[in-house]
């Protein structure tokens, strides 16, 4: 497809488990962003990639969160030892350059039991 | 620090009435402002970008640096405008800045028939 693709669309897991969320950006987009959308917190920036490098990880809430990007394309956000407060919709966006408008995926709805 | 404030969580108007969604920002650099919209069961999508100075779906927004505002306006609201609207601030244009976005809390607009 032509848009940003995220998988899975929904993920339910038990507290303490690790989860991996995947983002496939628009082909050719060099910039990739992860955001989190939760009740009461709105949309929060997590991490930004330019190519495979992450010059800004300032939004990652704790060291349980990490992300990587390979081949300048697909990115994976990993949450270790999940907690209930991690429940949210995790959104991925990509843009052609850092100053171009961002295009968002449908998100992954993560529920921690 | 960057901050975006959308003072109205909910806004209701009748079809054909004018609508204004308020957005104020705080940023010491050169701001880049956006309006994103999320219709029911759809992904977040770009509505307007201040540098484009265009009208999309009848909506306009003017950047007022003196009042640090970027209010979204439409003279005659339509039922299909019902959605969640987010105002967002980019890290600034030029130099090595990039498109990390800081979002407001969002305003749910309901247009009644």
């Amino acid at each position: 497809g032509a848009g940003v693709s995220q998988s899975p669309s929904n993920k339910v897991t038990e507290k303490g488990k690790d989860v991996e969320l995947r983002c496939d950006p628009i082909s050719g987009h060099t910039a990739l962003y992860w955001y989190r959308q939760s009740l009461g917190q709105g949309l929060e920036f997590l991490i930004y990639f330019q190519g495979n490098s992450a010059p800004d990880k300032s939004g990652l809430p704790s060291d349980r969160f990490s992300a990587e990007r390979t081949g300048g394309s697909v990115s994976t956000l990993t949450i270790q030892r999940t907690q209930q407060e991690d429940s949210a919709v995790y959104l991925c966006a990509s843009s052609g350059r850092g100053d171009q408008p961002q295009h968002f995926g449908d998100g992954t709805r993560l529920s921690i039991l | 620090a960057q901050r975006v404030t959308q003072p109205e969580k909910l806004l209701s108007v009748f079809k054909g009435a004018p609508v204004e969604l308020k957005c104020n920002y705080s940023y010491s650099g050169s701001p880049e402002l956006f309006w994103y919209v999320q219709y029911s069961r759809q992904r977040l999508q770009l509505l307007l970008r201040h540098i484009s100075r265009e009208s999309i779906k009848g909506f306009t927004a003017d950047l007022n640096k003196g009042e640090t505002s970027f209010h979204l306006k439409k003279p005659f609201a339509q039922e299909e405008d019902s959605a969640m609207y987010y105002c967002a601030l980019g890290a600034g244009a030029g130099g090595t800045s990039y498109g990390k976005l800081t979002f407001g809390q969002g305003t749910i607009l309901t247009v009644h028939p």
Side-chain angles (χ1 to χ4, degrees), chain A residues 3-5 33 35 37 40-45 48 55-56 58 91 98-106, chain B residues 9 32 34 36 38 41-46 49 51 84 86 92-94 97-105:
Chain A
V4 176
S5 178
Y33 307 81
Y35 295 88
Q37 187 175 30
Q41 298 296 321
L43 270 157
E44 304 171 283
F45 166 79
Y48 155 68
D56 190 347
S58 63
L91 293 172
D99 61 348
Q100 292 296 305
Q102 295 174 31
H103 299 267
F104 283 81
D106 286 326
Chain B
K9 203 164 200 169
E32 190 169 7
F34 305 83
Y36 278 83
Q38 190 167 28
R41 288 184 289 278
Q42 293 187 28
R43 63 181 59 184
L44 198 62
Q45 56 187 281
L46 179 67
R49 187 179 185 188
I51 63 171
M84 170 75 95
Y86 290 97
S97 61
Y98 59 90
K100 164 189 169 180
L101 295 174
T102 299
F103 286 87
Q105 292 293 305

Side-chain angles (χ1 to χ4, degrees), chain B residues 67-108:
Chain B
E67 296 183 358
T68 60
S69 69
F70 188 57
H71 302 327
L72 183 68
K73 300 177 185 179
K74 185 169 182 176
F76 307 103
Q78 302 299 313
E79 289 178 67
E80 55 265 30
D81 296 328
S82 297
M84 170 75 95
Y85 290 81
Y86 290 97
C87 182
L89 170 67
T96 58
S97 61
Y98 59 90
K100 164 189 169 180
L101 295 174
T102 299
F103 286 87
Q105 292 293 305
T107 298
I108 299 172

Side-chain angles (χ1 to χ4, degrees), chain A:
Chain A
V4 176
S5 178
Q6 292 187 247
S7 62
S9 53
N10 282 284
K11 176 73 176 179
V12 181
T13 193
E14 293 178 347
K15 177 182 169 181
K17 300 284 189 186
D18 297 352
V19 295
E20 281 191 354
L21 312 180
R22 177 189 167 105
C23 173
D24 208 335
I26 292 172
S27 178
H29 278 191
T30 58
L32 186 147
Y33 307 81
W34 283 98
Y35 295 88
R36 179 167 71 172
Q37 187 175 30
S38 53
L39 285 175
Q41 298 296 321
L43 270 157
E44 304 171 283
F45 166 79
L46 297 177
I47 187 170
Y48 155 68
F49 286 92
Q50 182 58 48
N52 292 335
S53 301
D56 190 347
K57 307 177 183 179
S58 63
L60 295 178
S62 76
D63 59 7
R64 295 187 295 106
F65 287 72
S66 63
E68 66 175 11
R69 190 179 184 194
T70 54
S73 180
V74 172
S75 175
T76 302
L77 176 69
T78 300
I79 309 173
Q80 295 178 309
R81 305 180 302 282
T82 52
Q83 303 294 313
Q84 287 188 329
E85 61 261 29
D86 300 335
S87 295
V89 176
Y90 289 82
L91 293 172
C92 177
S94 70
S95 67
R97 292 196 314 265
D99 61 348
Q100 292 296 305
Q102 295 174 31
H103 299 267
F104 283 81
D106 286 326
T108 293
R109 183 174 296 278
L110 177 64
S111 301
I112 309 300
L113 302 179

